[in-house]
Amino acid sequence: MLTIDGLREYGANVDEGIARCANNEGLYLKLVPKLSSDEGFDSLAELILEQNYDAAFEIAHRLKGAASNLSLTPIEEPVTRISDSLKMREERDYSGDLKDLREAKKALDALI
């Protein structure tokens, strides 16, 4: 079950995230699972592998915005690195950042 304390232990800046939700804790707890269920997590690595950087950037940028608004730092940090590199169309090894993102999402899913 998703809880504020669990999200704090996860590394989320819960107070900041709730403040962005008009100080509505219930809304915050409702939005977090919506991010976790975003299908972009599944397609991001495949698009990068295919070097479809424009489509990958769109997904990474969307995930970055949602994670930032919810102050989910463990997701925000790797997806920001990915998004920033894709914005510059960098052909680099994304595997480390994708691994960090998968692990952060898996940990979040375990809380939900």
Side-chain angles (χ1 to χ4, degrees):
M1 177 179 183
L2 187 62
T3 66
I4 295 300
D5 289 336
L7 286 166
R8 281 188 209 287
E9 289 177 24
Y10 170 70
N13 185 338
V14 173
D15 296 327
E16 185 177 276
I18 292 171
R20 288 191 177 133
C21 291
N23 291 314
N24 184 332
E25 184 177 304
L27 176 61
Y28 181 75
L29 289 172
K30 184 178 179 179
L31 292 174
V32 170
K34 289 186 182 286
L35 171 63
S36 184
S37 66
D38 190 305
E39 294 177 3
F41 284 107
D42 296 330
S43 57
L44 184 58
E46 184 177 320
L47 289 168
I48 290 172
L49 185 62
E50 294 170 358
Q51 295 184 335
N52 187 344
Y53 296 134
D54 292 334
F57 171 74
E58 294 299 323
I59 290 169
H61 188 68
R62 181 181 75 235
L63 294 173
K64 172 186 167 183
S68 295
N69 284 332
L70 295 170
S71 299
L72 297 173
T73 308
I75 289 179
E76 180 184 3
E77 290 176 350
V79 80
T80 295
R81 292 190 301 267
I82 293 167
S83 177
D84 290 351
S85 291
L86 289 170
K87 183 177 183 179
M88 303 306 291
R89 299 185 58 76
E90 289 180 21
E91 293 185 24
R92 67 168 180 87
D93 182 5
Y94 288 86
S95 60
D97 290 326
L98 288 168
K99 179 180 181 248
D100 291 346
L101 182 59
R102 276 191 304 276
E103 289 174 358
K105 183 183 179 303
K106 183 178 178 181
L108 180 61
D109 289 346
L111 295 175
I112 298 171

